[in-house]
Coordinates of all heavy atoms in Angstrom, one line a residue:
M1 N 18.6 -16.0 25.6 CA 17.4 -15.3 25.8 C 16.5 -15.2 24.5 O 16.5 -14.1 23.8 CB 17.7 -13.8 26.1 CG 18.3 -13.8 27.6 SD 18.9 -12.1 27.9 CE 20.6 -12.2 27.3
P2 N 15.9 -16.2 24.0 CA 15.3 -16.3 22.7 C 14.1 -15.4 22.6 O 13.8 -14.8 21.6 CB 14.8 -17.8 22.6 CG 15.4 -18.5 23.8 CD 15.8 -17.5 24.8
L3 N 13.4 -15.2 23.7 CA 12.2 -14.5 23.7 C 12.5 -13.0 23.4 O 11.9 -12.3 22.6 CB 11.4 -14.6 25.0 CG 10.3 -15.8 24.9 CD1 9.7 -15.8 26.3 CD2 9.3 -15.5 23.8
Q4 N 13.5 -12.5 24.2 CA 13.9 -11.2 24.1 C 14.4 -10.8 22.8 O 14.1 -9.8 22.1 CB 14.9 -10.8 25.2 CG 14.3 -10.5 26.5 CD 15.4 -10.1 27.5 OE1 16.5 -10.3 27.2 NE2 14.9 -9.6 28.7
Y5 N 15.1 -11.8 22.2 CA 15.7 -11.7 20.9 C 14.5 -11.5 19.8 O 14.6 -10.7 19.0 CB 16.6 -12.8 20.5 CG 17.3 -12.7 19.2 CD1 18.4 -11.8 19.1 CD2 16.8 -13.3 18.2 CE1 19.0 -11.7 17.8 CE2 17.4 -13.2 16.9 CZ 18.5 -12.4 16.8 OH 19.2 -12.3 15.5
R6 N 13.6 -12.3 20.0 CA 12.5 -12.3 19.0 C 11.7 -10.9 19.1 O 11.4 -10.4 18.1 CB 11.5 -13.3 19.3 CG 10.6 -13.7 18.1 CD 9.9 -15.1 18.2 NE 9.0 -15.1 19.4 CZ 8.4 -16.2 19.7 NH1 8.6 -17.4 19.1 NH2 7.6 -16.1 20.8
H7 N 11.6 -10.5 20.4 CA 11.0 -9.2 20.5 C 11.7 -8.1 19.8 O 11.2 -7.2 19.1 CB 10.8 -8.9 21.9 CG 10.2 -7.6 22.2 ND1 8.8 -7.4 22.0 CD2 10.6 -6.4 22.6 CE1 8.4 -6.1 22.4 NE2 9.6 -5.5 22.7
A8 N 13.1 -8.1 19.9 CA 13.8 -7.1 19.3 C 13.8 -7.1 17.8 O 13.8 -6.1 17.2 CB 15.3 -7.2 19.8
S9 N 13.7 -8.2 17.2 CA 13.7 -8.3 15.8 C 12.3 -7.8 15.3 O 12.3 -7.2 14.2 CB 14.0 -9.6 15.3 OG 12.9 -10.6 15.4
T10 N 11.2 -8.1 16.0 CA 10.1 -7.6 15.7 C 9.9 -6.1 15.8 O 9.6 -5.4 14.8 CB 8.9 -8.1 16.7 OG1 9.0 -9.5 16.6 CG2 7.5 -7.7 16.2
L11 N 10.6 -5.5 16.8 CA 10.6 -4.1 16.9 C 11.4 -3.5 15.8 O 11.0 -2.5 15.2 CB 11.3 -3.7 18.2 CG 11.3 -2.2 18.5 CD1 10.0 -1.7 18.7 CD2 12.2 -2.0 19.8
A12 N 12.5 -4.1 15.3 CA 13.3 -3.6 14.2 C 12.4 -3.7 13.0 O 12.5 -2.7 12.2 CB 14.6 -4.4 14.1
Q13 N 11.6 -4.7 12.8 CA 10.7 -4.7 11.6 C 9.8 -3.6 11.7 O 9.6 -3.0 10.5 CB 10.0 -6.1 11.6 CG 10.8 -7.2 11.0 CD 10.1 -8.5 11.0 OE1 8.9 -8.6 11.5 NE2 10.6 -9.5 10.5
V14 N 9.2 -3.3 12.8 CA 8.2 -2.2 12.9 C 8.9 -0.9 12.5 O 8.4 0.0 11.8 CB 7.6 -2.2 14.3 CG1 6.8 -0.9 14.5 CG2 6.7 -3.3 14.5
L15 N 10.1 -0.7 13.0 CA 10.9 0.6 12.7 C 11.1 0.7 11.3 O 11.2 1.8 10.7 CB 12.2 0.7 13.4 CG 11.9 0.8 15.0 CD1 13.3 0.7 15.7 CD2 11.3 2.2 15.3
L16 N 11.5 -0.4 10.6 CA 11.8 -0.4 9.2 C 10.6 -0.1 8.4 O 10.6 0.6 7.3 CB 12.4 -1.7 8.7 CG 13.8 -2.1 9.0 CD1 14.2 -3.4 8.6 CD2 14.6 -1.1 8.1
L17 N 9.4 -0.6 8.9 CA 8.1 -0.3 8.1 C 7.6 1.0 8.2 O 6.8 1.4 7.4 CB 7.2 -1.5 8.5 CG 7.5 -2.9 8.0 CD1 6.5 -3.9 8.5 CD2 7.4 -3.0 6.5
T18 N 7.8 1.7 9.4 CA 7.2 2.9 9.6 C 8.4 4.1 9.5 O 9.0 4.3 10.4 CB 6.6 3.0 11.0 OG1 7.5 2.6 11.9 CG2 5.4 2.2 11.1
R19 N 8.5 4.5 8.3 CA 9.6 5.5 7.9 C 8.9 6.8 8.0 O 7.7 7.0 7.8 CB 10.2 5.2 6.6 CG 10.9 3.8 6.6 CD 11.3 3.5 5.2 NE 10.4 3.5 4.3 CZ 10.5 3.2 3.0 NH1 11.7 3.0 2.5 NH2 9.5 3.2 2.1
P20 N 9.7 7.8 8.1 CA 9.3 9.2 8.2 C 8.4 9.7 7.0 O 7.5 10.4 7.1 CB 10.5 10.1 8.4 CG 11.6 9.1 8.8 CD 11.3 7.9 8.3
E21 N 8.9 9.1 5.9 CA 8.2 9.5 4.6 C 7.0 8.8 4.4 O 6.3 8.7 3.3 CB 9.2 9.5 3.4 CG 9.5 8.0 3.1 CD 10.8 7.6 3.7 OE1 11.1 8.0 4.8 OE2 11.6 6.8 3.1
E22 N 6.5 8.0 5.4 CA 5.3 7.1 5.2 C 4.1 8.0 4.8 O 3.9 9.1 5.3 CB 5.1 6.5 6.6 CG 4.2 5.2 6.5 CD 5.0 4.2 5.6 OE1 6.0 3.6 6.0 OE2 4.5 4.0 4.5
L23 N 3.3 7.5 3.9 CA 2.0 8.1 3.7 C 1.0 7.8 4.8 O 1.0 6.7 5.4 CB 1.4 7.5 2.4 CG 2.1 7.7 1.1 CD1 1.4 7.0 0.0 CD2 2.1 9.2 0.7
T24 N 0.2 8.8 4.9 CA -1.0 8.5 5.9 C -2.0 8.0 4.9 O -2.0 8.0 3.8 CB -1.5 10.0 6.5 OG1 -2.1 10.7 5.4 CG2 -0.4 10.5 7.3
C25 N -3.2 7.4 5.6 CA -4.2 6.8 4.7 C -4.9 7.9 4.0 O -5.3 7.6 2.8 CB -5.2 6.1 5.8 SG -4.6 4.7 6.5
D26 N -5.0 9.1 4.5 CA -5.6 10.2 3.7 C -4.7 10.6 2.5 O -5.3 10.7 1.3 CB -5.7 11.6 4.5 CG -6.9 11.4 5.6 OD1 -7.8 10.5 5.3 OD2 -7.0 12.1 6.5
Q27 N -3.5 10.6 2.7 CA -2.6 11.0 1.5 C -2.7 9.9 0.5 O -2.7 10.0 -0.8 CB -1.1 11.1 2.0 CG -0.9 12.4 2.8 CD 0.5 12.3 3.4 OE1 0.9 11.3 3.9 NE2 1.1 13.6 3.6
W28 N -2.8 8.6 1.1 CA -2.9 7.5 0.1 C -4.1 7.4 -0.6 O -4.0 7.2 -1.9 CB -2.8 6.2 1.1 CG -2.8 4.9 0.3 CD1 -1.8 4.2 -0.2 CD2 -3.9 4.1 -0.2 NE1 -2.1 3.0 -0.8 CE2 -3.5 3.0 -0.8 CE3 -5.4 4.3 0.0 CZ2 -4.4 2.1 -1.3 CZ3 -6.2 3.3 -0.5 CH2 -5.7 2.2 -1.2
L29 N -5.2 7.8 0.0 CA -6.5 8.0 -0.8 C -6.4 9.0 -1.9 O -7.0 8.9 -2.9 CB -7.6 8.2 0.2 CG -8.3 7.0 0.7 CD1 -9.4 7.5 1.8 CD2 -9.0 6.2 -0.2
E30 N -5.7 10.1 -1.6 CA -5.5 11.2 -2.7 C -4.8 10.5 -3.9 O -5.1 11.0 -5.1 CB -4.8 12.3 -2.1 CG -5.8 13.2 -1.3 CD -4.9 14.4 -0.7 OE1 -4.0 14.8 -1.3 OE2 -5.3 14.8 0.3
E31 N -3.8 9.7 -3.6 CA -2.9 9.3 -4.8 C -3.6 8.1 -5.5 O -3.1 7.8 -6.6 CB -1.6 8.9 -4.2 CG -0.8 10.0 -3.5 CD -0.2 10.8 -4.4 OE1 0.1 10.4 -5.6 OE2 0.1 12.0 -4.0
V32 N -4.4 7.3 -4.9 CA -4.6 6.1 -5.4 C -5.6 6.0 -6.6 O -5.4 4.9 -7.4 CB -5.5 5.2 -4.3 CG1 -6.9 5.5 -4.1 CG2 -5.2 3.7 -4.5
P33 N -6.3 6.9 -7.1 CA -7.1 6.8 -8.3 C -6.3 6.4 -9.6 O -6.6 5.6 -10.3 CB -7.8 8.2 -8.5 CG -8.0 8.6 -7.0 CD -6.7 8.3 -6.3
G34 N -5.2 7.2 -9.7 CA -4.3 7.0 -10.8 C -3.7 5.5 -10.8 O -3.5 4.9 -11.8
Y35 N -3.4 5.1 -9.5 CA -2.7 3.9 -9.4 C -3.8 2.8 -9.7 O -3.4 1.8 -10.4 CB -2.4 3.6 -7.9 CG -1.7 2.3 -7.5 CD1 -0.4 2.1 -7.9 CD2 -2.4 1.3 -6.8 CE1 0.2 0.8 -7.6 CE2 -1.9 0.1 -6.5 CZ -0.5 -0.1 -6.9 OH 0.1 -1.4 -6.7
V36 N -5.1 2.9 -9.3 CA -6.2 2.0 -9.6 C -6.2 1.8 -11.1 O -6.3 0.7 -11.8 CB -7.5 2.5 -9.0 CG1 -8.5 1.6 -9.7 CG2 -7.5 2.4 -7.5
E37 N -6.1 3.0 -11.9 CA -6.2 3.0 -13.4 C -5.1 2.1 -14.0 O -5.4 1.3 -14.8 CB -6.2 4.3 -13.9 CG -7.5 5.0 -13.9 CD -7.5 6.4 -14.5 OE1 -6.7 6.6 -15.5 OE2 -8.2 7.3 -14.1
L38 N -4.0 2.2 -13.4 CA -2.8 1.5 -14.0 C -3.0 0.0 -13.6 O -2.6 -0.9 -14.5 CB -1.5 2.0 -13.3 CG -1.0 3.4 -13.8 CD1 0.2 3.9 -12.8 CD2 -0.4 3.3 -15.2
C39 N -3.5 -0.3 -12.4 CA -3.7 -1.8 -12.0 C -4.7 -2.4 -13.0 O -4.5 -3.5 -13.5 CB -4.2 -1.8 -10.6 SG -3.0 -1.5 -9.4
V40 N -5.8 -1.6 -13.2 CA -6.8 -2.2 -14.2 C -6.3 -2.3 -15.6 O -6.7 -3.3 -16.2 CB -8.1 -1.2 -14.1 CG1 -9.2 -1.7 -15.1 CG2 -8.7 -1.3 -12.7
S41 N -5.6 -1.4 -16.1 CA -5.1 -1.4 -17.5 C -4.0 -2.4 -17.6 O -3.6 -2.7 -18.7 CB -4.8 0.0 -17.9 OG -3.7 0.5 -17.2
G42 N -3.4 -2.7 -16.5 CA -2.3 -3.8 -16.5 C -0.9 -3.0 -17.0 O 0.0 -3.8 -17.4
E43 N -0.9 -1.7 -16.9 CA 0.3 -1.0 -17.3 C 1.3 -1.2 -16.2 O 1.0 -1.5 -15.0 CB 0.0 0.5 -17.6 CG -0.5 0.7 -18.9 CD -1.0 2.2 -19.1 OE1 0.0 3.0 -18.8 OE2 -2.0 2.4 -19.6
Q44 N 2.6 -0.9 -16.5 CA 3.7 -0.9 -15.4 C 3.5 0.2 -14.5 O 3.2 1.3 -14.9 CB 5.0 -0.8 -16.2 CG 6.2 -1.4 -15.3 CD 7.5 -1.4 -16.0 OE1 7.5 -1.1 -17.1 NE2 8.4 -1.7 -15.2
I45 N 3.7 -0.1 -13.1 CA 3.5 0.9 -12.2 C 4.7 1.7 -12.0 O 5.8 1.2 -11.8 CB 3.2 0.2 -10.8 CG1 2.1 -0.8 -11.0 CG2 2.8 1.2 -9.7 CD1 0.8 -0.3 -11.3
P46 N 4.6 3.1 -12.3 CA 5.8 4.0 -12.3 C 6.4 4.0 -10.8 O 5.7 3.7 -9.8 CB 5.3 5.3 -12.6 CG 3.9 5.0 -13.2 CD 3.4 3.8 -12.6
E47 N 7.7 4.5 -10.7 CA 8.4 4.5 -9.5 C 7.7 5.4 -8.5 O 7.8 5.2 -7.2 CB 9.9 5.1 -9.8 CG 10.7 5.0 -8.7 CD 11.1 3.8 -8.1 OE1 11.0 2.7 -8.8 OE2 11.5 3.7 -6.8
R48 N 7.0 6.4 -9.0 CA 6.4 7.4 -8.1 C 5.3 6.8 -7.2 O 4.9 7.5 -6.2 CB 5.9 8.6 -8.9 CG 4.8 8.4 -9.7 CD 4.4 9.6 -10.7 NE 3.5 9.2 -11.7 CZ 2.2 9.5 -11.6 NH1 1.7 10.0 -10.4 NH2 1.3 9.1 -12.4
F49 N 4.9 5.7 -7.5 CA 3.9 4.9 -6.7 C 4.5 4.0 -5.7 O 3.7 3.2 -5.1 CB 2.8 4.3 -7.6 CG 1.9 5.1 -8.4 CD1 2.0 5.2 -9.8 CD2 0.9 5.8 -7.8 CE1 1.1 6.0 -10.4 CE2 0.0 6.6 -8.4 CZ 0.2 6.8 -9.8
A50 N 5.8 4.1 -5.5 CA 6.4 3.1 -4.7 C 5.9 3.3 -3.2 O 5.6 2.3 -2.5 CB 8.0 3.2 -4.7
L51 N 5.8 4.6 -2.7 CA 5.4 4.7 -1.4 C 3.9 4.3 -1.2 O 3.5 3.7 -0.2 CB 5.4 6.3 -1.1 CG 6.6 6.8 -0.5 CD1 6.5 8.3 -0.2 CD2 6.8 6.1 1.0
L52 N 3.1 4.4 -2.2 CA 1.7 4.0 -2.3 C 1.6 2.5 -2.1 O 0.8 1.9 -1.4 CB 1.1 4.4 -3.4 CG -0.4 4.4 -3.6 CD1 -1.0 5.5 -4.5 CD2 -0.9 3.0 -4.1
E53 N 2.6 1.8 -2.9 CA 2.6 0.3 -2.8 C 3.0 -0.1 -1.4 O 2.6 -1.1 -0.9 CB 3.4 -0.2 -3.9 CG 2.9 -0.1 -5.2 CD 3.5 -0.9 -6.3 OE1 4.7 -0.8 -6.5 OE2 2.8 -1.8 -7.0
H54 N 4.0 0.7 -0.9 CA 4.6 0.3 0.5 C 3.4 0.4 1.5 O 3.3 -0.5 2.3 CB 5.7 1.2 0.8 CG 6.2 1.1 2.2 ND1 7.1 0.0 2.4 CD2 6.1 1.8 3.3 CE1 7.4 0.0 3.7 NE2 6.7 1.1 4.3
H55 N 2.5 1.5 1.4 CA 1.5 1.6 2.2 C 0.6 0.4 2.3 O 0.0 -0.1 3.3 CB 0.7 2.9 2.0 CG -0.4 3.2 3.0 ND1 0.0 3.9 4.2 CD2 -1.7 3.0 3.1 CE1 -1.2 4.1 4.8 NE2 -2.2 3.5 4.2
L56 N 0.4 -0.2 1.0 CA -0.5 -1.4 1.0 C 0.0 -2.5 1.9 O -0.8 -3.3 2.3 CB -0.5 -1.8 -0.4 CG -1.4 -1.0 -1.4 CD1 -1.1 -1.4 -2.9 CD2 -2.7 -1.1 -1.1
M57 N 1.4 -2.6 2.0 CA 2.0 -3.6 2.7 C 1.8 -3.6 4.3 O 1.8 -4.5 5.0 CB 3.5 -3.8 2.4 CG 3.8 -4.3 1.0 SD 5.4 -4.6 0.7 CE 6.0 -3.1 0.0
I58 N 1.7 -2.2 4.6 CA 1.6 -2.1 6.2 C 0.2 -1.8 6.6 O -0.1 -1.6 7.7 CB 2.6 -1.0 6.6 CG1 2.2 0.4 5.8 CG2 4.0 -1.3 6.4 CD1 2.9 1.6 6.5
C59 N -0.7 -1.5 5.7 CA -2.0 -1.1 6.0 C -3.1 -2.0 5.3 O -3.6 -1.7 4.2 CB -2.2 0.4 5.6 SG -3.8 1.0 6.1
P60 N -3.5 -3.1 6.1 CA -4.6 -4.0 5.4 C -5.9 -3.2 5.0 O -6.5 -3.6 4.0 CB -4.9 -5.0 6.6 CG -3.7 -4.9 7.6 CD -3.1 -3.3 7.4
E61 N -6.3 -2.2 5.8 CA -7.5 -1.5 5.5 C -7.4 -0.9 4.1 O -8.3 -1.0 3.3 CB -7.8 -0.4 6.5 CG -8.2 -0.8 7.9 CD -7.0 -1.1 8.8 OE1 -6.0 -1.0 8.4 OE2 -7.3 -1.4 10.0
C62 N -6.2 -0.2 3.8 CA -6.2 0.4 2.4 C -5.9 -0.7 1.4 O -6.4 -0.5 0.2 CB -5.0 1.4 2.5 SG -5.3 2.9 3.4
A63 N -5.4 -1.8 1.7 CA -5.2 -3.0 0.8 C -6.6 -3.5 0.3 O -6.9 -3.7 -0.8 CB -4.3 -4.0 1.3
E64 N -7.4 -3.6 1.3 CA -8.8 -3.9 0.9 C -9.5 -2.9 0.2 O -10.3 -3.3 -0.8 CB -9.6 -4.1 2.4 CG -10.0 -5.5 2.6 CD -10.6 -5.6 4.0 OE1 -11.8 -5.1 4.2 OE2 -10.1 -6.3 4.8
E65 N -9.3 -1.6 0.6 CA -9.9 -0.6 -0.1 C -9.5 -0.5 -1.7 O -10.3 -0.3 -2.6 CB -9.5 0.8 0.5 CG -10.3 2.0 -0.1 CD -11.6 2.2 0.5 OE1 -11.8 1.5 1.5 OE2 -12.3 3.0 0.0
L66 N -8.2 -0.8 -1.9 CA -7.7 -0.9 -3.2 C -8.3 -2.0 -4.0 O -8.9 -1.9 -5.1 CB -6.2 -1.1 -3.3 CG -5.6 -1.2 -4.8 CD1 -5.6 0.0 -5.5 CD2 -4.2 -1.7 -4.5
A67 N -8.5 -3.1 -3.3 CA -9.1 -4.2 -4.1 C -10.5 -4.0 -4.4 O -11.0 -4.3 -5.6 CB -9.0 -5.5 -3.2
A68 N -11.2 -3.3 -3.5 CA -12.6 -2.9 -3.8 C -12.7 -2.0 -5.0 O -13.6 -2.1 -5.8 CB -13.2 -2.3 -2.6
M69 N -11.7 -0.9 -5.1 CA -11.8 0.1 -6.1 C -11.4 -0.6 -7.4 O -12.0 -0.3 -8.5 CB -10.7 1.2 -5.7 CG -11.2 2.1 -4.8 SD -10.2 3.6 -4.6 CE -9.1 3.1 -3.3
V70 N -10.4 -1.4 -7.3 CA -10.1 -2.1 -8.8 C -11.3 -2.9 -9.2 O -11.6 -2.9 -10.4 CB -8.8 -3.0 -8.5 CG1 -8.6 -4.0 -9.7 CG2 -7.6 -2.2 -8.3
T71 N -11.9 -3.7 -8.3 CA -13.0 -4.5 -8.7 C -14.1 -3.5 -9.3 O -14.8 -3.9 -10.2 CB -13.7 -5.1 -7.5 OG1 -12.6 -6.1 -7.0 CG2 -14.7 -6.1 -7.8
A72 N -14.4 -2.4 -8.6 CA -15.5 -1.4 -9.0 C -15.2 -0.9 -10.4 O -16.1 -0.8 -11.3 CB -15.6 -0.4 -8.0
V73 N -13.9 -0.5 -10.5 CA -13.5 0.1 -11.8 C -13.6 -0.9 -13.0 O -14.1 -0.6 -14.1 CB -12.1 0.6 -11.8 CG1 -11.5 1.1 -13.1 CG2 -12.1 1.9 -10.8
K74 N -13.2 -2.2 -12.7 CA -13.3 -3.2 -13.7 C -14.8 -3.5 -14.1 O -15.1 -3.7 -15.2 CB -12.7 -4.5 -13.2 CG -11.1 -4.5 -13.3 CD -10.6 -5.8 -12.8 CE -9.1 -5.9 -13.2 NZ -8.5 -7.1 -12.3
T75 N -15.7 -3.5 -13.1 CA -17.1 -3.7 -13.3 C -17.6 -2.7 -14.2 O -18.4 -2.9 -15.1 CB -17.8 -3.8 -11.9 OG1 -17.1 -4.7 -11.1 CG2 -19.2 -4.2 -12.2
L76 N -17.2 -1.4 -13.9 CA -17.8 -0.3 -14.6 C -17.3 -0.3 -16.0 O -18.0 -0.1 -16.9 CB -17.2 1.1 -13.9 CG -18.0 1.6 -12.8 CD1 -17.3 2.8 -12.1 CD2 -19.4 1.9 -13.0
G77 N -16.0 -0.7 -16.2 CA -15.5 -0.7 -17.6 C -16.1 -1.8 -18.4 O -16.4 -1.6 -19.5
D78 N -16.4 -2.9 -17.8 CA -17.1 -4.1 -18.5 C -18.4 -3.7 -18.9 O -18.9 -4.0 -20.1 CB -17.2 -5.3 -17.6 CG -15.8 -5.9 -17.4 OD1 -14.9 -5.6 -18.3 OD2 -15.6 -6.8 -16.6
S79 N -19.2 -2.9 -18.0 CA -20.6 -2.6 -18.4 C -20.8 -1.6 -19.4 O -21.6 -1.3 -20.1 CB -21.4 -2.2 -17.1 OG -20.7 -1.1 -16.5
G80 N -19.5 -0.7 -19.5 CA -19.5 0.4 -20.5 C -19.2 0.0 -21.8 O -19.3 0.7 -22.8
K81 N -18.8 -1.3 -22.1 CA -18.5 -1.7 -23.4 C -19.8 -2.2 -24.2 O -20.7 -2.6 -23.6 CB -17.4 -2.9 -23.3 CG -16.1 -2.3 -23.1 CD -15.1 -3.4 -22.8 CE -13.8 -2.7 -22.3 NZ -13.0 -3.8 -21.7
Ligands
ZN101 ZN1 -4.0 3.0 5.0

């Protein structure tokens, strides 16, 4: 039963990706400014941002949002020099 097996493994992946401690998009947005600064400065990302990074993997909208914010902050930084 290859088809059923594939469905089951997909379901398992979804269950693994949506854990109870998952951030909502709103929570993610509250946390992200500090993360953007670290991304732009190239500093190491602390462990406390692990959930935030995890959200990026499961939420393409927020991943796009982050990319836009990093670009915006970089642009601002460049014009400020
Ligand atoms: Zn999101």
Side-chain angles (χ1 to χ4, degrees):
M1 292 172 273
L3 271 178
Q4 278 180 348
Y5 182 75
R6 197 163 68 187
H7 179 74
S9 79
T10 305
L11 184 66
Q13 277 178 356
V14 170
L15 287 174
L16 278 175
L17 287 173
T18 51
R19 297 175 300 178
E21 69 267 32
E22 203 60 71
L23 289 179
T24 66
C25 289
D26 282 346
Q27 288 170 325
W28 184 87
L29 269 176
E30 281 176 27
E31 298 284 336
V32 82
Y35 182 76
V36 170
E37 275 183 36
L38 289 169
C39 284
V40 172
S41 65
E43 281 175 50
Q44 205 179 348
I45 308 298
E47 185 68 22
R48 64 191 174 94
F49 287 111
L51 268 180
L52 194 150
E53 292 196 302
H54 177 74
H55 187 82
L56 287 173
M57 286 187 265
I58 59 165
C59 184
E61 285 91 355
C62 285
E64 239 175 70
E65 189 77 16
L66 174 71
M69 280 191 269
V70 169
T71 304
V73 170
K74 276 182 179 168
T75 306
L76 283 172
D78 286 347
S79 63
K81 276 171 198 165

